[in-house]
Amino acid sequence: MSHVLSEETHRNILARIPHCTGREVSDWLRTVDEGPALRFEEKVSWLRHEYDLAYGHAKAIIHEYDLRRAARKLL
């Protein structure tokens, strides 16, 4: 399954995460960073099952995590 979202869709989902989960995106990114080293879909499944997140929210969090990690590697 592809994990590519349009930029607009991704940003819209990220904007709703704090309201829907009660946690800021930055908190979720720290959780992922401290979590197990898994592949994309495995991380999504881990977040869903460990924290009872909706698939779309978990997918957006992992996608954002990967985007930010890639950006750090470029610096």
Side-chain angles (χ1 to χ4, degrees):
M1 177 177 285
S2 173
H3 59 270
V4 177
L5 301 171
S6 75
E7 183 67 23
E8 181 181 3
T9 299
H10 178 64
R11 294 289 156 214
N12 287 337
I13 293 170
L14 283 181
R16 289 192 306 267
I17 286 174
H19 173 74
C20 295
T21 68
R23 291 177 62 183
E24 294 296 322
V25 172
S26 59
D27 293 337
W28 286 114
L29 296 176
R30 271 192 300 279
T31 297
V32 172
D33 196 44
E34 295 167 357
L38 304 167
R39 292 187 216 169
F40 185 90
E41 284 296 330
E42 293 169 329
K43 287 180 187 177
V44 172
S45 292
W46 171 74
L47 276 181
R48 291 184 68 212
H49 294 102
E50 189 72 24
Y51 298 97
D52 198 30
L53 290 178
Y55 177 76
H57 292 148
K59 185 175 173 181
I61 290 166
I62 300 302
H63 182 63
E64 184 67 15
Y65 177 82
D66 286 351
L67 288 173
R68 291 185 187 194
R69 194 176 91 218
R72 284 192 307 257
K73 286 183 180 179
L74 293 176
L75 297 177

